[in-house]
């Protein structure tokens, strides 16, 4: 004969775990959905995909963890972009004209500054200084636009970094939307 008390106890022990599991599975979707609703630059699918794919993501993550993950992703992406630009600059003076080379050098400097801005934003977030974190993210968000603007100043110049710049902009938009949730 089955013991109804043991079933009740088992049920009561499982319910909190199920709620916790459901919450942790939904925090990314919920956060990204809210970010996409409040910021037209946030792509919901990219937000969910990038956060869940990050090796630092865990099912126990809270919202602040997600913000830190998003900033770290943007920082890693900016570093990668800088490395890619450096690779383009190596031995490529024949491939690029003088103007384009100067644009690439400028973009390299811009992304280096973006990494520094993101480091400041991450440090400020850890200290719960959301205003400074917001300022750092906003400064970093200028990087892709400034990089593209350099190419637009001369007719006929085409940026080889447009797609990369767009991707970085979207990663920053996610982080900035998350920070805005703390500020507002």
């Amino acid at each position: 004969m089955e013991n109804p008390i043991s079933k009740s106890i088992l049920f009561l022990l499982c319910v909190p775990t199920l709620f916790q599991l459901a919450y942790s599975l939904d925090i990314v979707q919920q956060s990204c959905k809210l970010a996409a609703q409040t910021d037209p630059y946030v792509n919901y699918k990219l937000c969910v995909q990038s956060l869940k794919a990050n090796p630092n993501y865990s099912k126990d993550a809270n919202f602040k963890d997600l913000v830190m993950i998003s900033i770290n992703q943007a920082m890693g992406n900016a570093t990668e972009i800088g490395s890619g630009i450096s690779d383009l600059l190596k031995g490529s003076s024949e491939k690029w004209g003088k103007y384009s080379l100067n644009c690439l050098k400028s973009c390299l400097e811009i992304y280096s500054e973006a990494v520094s801005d993101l480091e400041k934003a991450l440090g400020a977030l850890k200290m719960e200084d959301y205003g400074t974190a917001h300022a750092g993210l906003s400064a970093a968000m200028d990087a892709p636009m400034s990089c593209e603007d350099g190419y637009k100043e001369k007719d006929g110049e085409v940026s080889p970094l447009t797609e990369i710049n767009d991707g970085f902009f979207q990663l920053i938009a996610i982080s900035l939307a998350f920070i805005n949730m703390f500020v507002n």
Side-chain angles (χ1 to χ4, degrees):
M1 197 169 208
E2 291 183 28
N3 184 348
I5 294 175
S6 64
K7 279 188 175 182
S8 297
I9 291 173
L10 181 62
F11 176 76
L12 290 174
L13 291 174
C14 290
V15 169
T17 305
L18 292 173
F19 281 123
Q20 190 175 26
L21 180 62
Y23 173 76
S24 66
L25 290 175
D26 287 337
I27 190 167
V28 171
Q29 291 97 336
Q30 290 172 358
S31 300
C32 289
K33 184 178 181 181
L34 185 57
Q37 288 172 344
T38 59
D39 189 326
Y41 296 115
V42 174
N43 178 306
Y44 171 78
K45 286 183 181 181
L46 174 68
C47 181
V48 171
Q49 184 180 28
S50 65
L51 290 172
K52 285 193 170 188
N54 189 289
N56 294 323
Y57 169 73
S58 77
K59 291 182 178 10
D60 296 330
N62 60 35
F63 181 69
K64 188 174 179 182
D65 295 333
L66 295 182
V67 180
M68 293 174 83
I69 289 169
S70 72
I71 294 172
N72 276 312
Q73 281 183 307
M75 200 176 347
N77 188 252
T79 301
E80 247 180 67
I81 292 169
S83 294
I85 294 170
S86 292
D87 289 345
L88 289 174
L89 289 169
K90 289 179 184 171
S92 63
S93 54
E94 308 84 39
K95 185 176 182 179
W96 310 107
K98 185 177 180 177
Y99 186 84
S100 190
L101 275 173
N102 286 334
C103 287
L104 284 171
K105 289 176 184 174
S106 177
C107 289
L108 180 60
E109 185 177 323
I110 288 168
Y111 273 100
S112 176
E113 290 171 12
V115 170
S116 178
D117 292 330
L118 291 168
E119 287 171 346
K120 290 175 190 170
L122 190 58
L125 176 64
K126 289 177 182 175
M127 301 295 290
E128 298 184 6
D129 180 356
Y130 305 118
T132 301
H134 185 277
L137 287 168
S138 295
M141 189 175 232
D142 289 340
M145 292 180 288
S146 296
C147 181
E148 286 296 311
D149 286 347
Y151 285 93
K152 291 176 184 174
E153 290 178 10
K154 183 177 179 190
D155 287 338
E157 284 295 323
V158 177
S159 170
L161 305 171
T162 300
E163 189 175 321
I164 292 166
N165 285 330
D166 289 345
F168 180 72
F169 182 88
Q170 289 181 13
L171 286 177
I172 294 293
I174 293 166
S175 298
L176 200 51
F178 284 171
I179 285 292
N180 284 336
M181 290 180 207
F182 275 117
V183 175
N184 295 329

